[in-house]
Amino acid sequence: MNTLQELLALMRIEEKARTCRNRTEAQQWIRRAELAREHLWGTTEAMHFSSH
């Protein structure tokens, strides 16, 4: 799967999370989106930069 296809898949997953009818199902989709995001861009942790 190329980067564009992965990005589109991530967008579909995020849309499913937004349209869930209950919190439990939404949390499952959110976790899937987080995994897809990590796969696509690496870590999802915030990066801190110094201006030295």
Side-chain angles (χ1 to χ4, degrees):
M1 191 181 291
N2 67 33
T3 304
L4 179 59
Q5 290 171 331
E6 290 181 15
L7 184 56
L8 291 172
L10 173 59
M11 292 172 66
R12 283 191 293 272
I13 293 169
E14 290 175 338
E15 181 62 25
K16 287 182 182 188
R18 281 191 290 275
T19 59
C20 286
R21 294 186 185 269
N22 63 59
R23 182 182 176 97
T24 304
E25 187 180 350
Q27 288 174 331
Q28 291 171 349
W29 283 110
I30 290 168
R31 179 66 184 136
R32 287 182 188 179
E34 288 171 353
L35 292 173
R37 223 175 283 118
E38 278 182 31
H39 178 72
L40 189 59
W41 290 300
T43 183
T44 58
E45 296 297 318
M47 295 178 66
H48 300 282
F49 297 98
S50 63
S51 59
H52 295 184

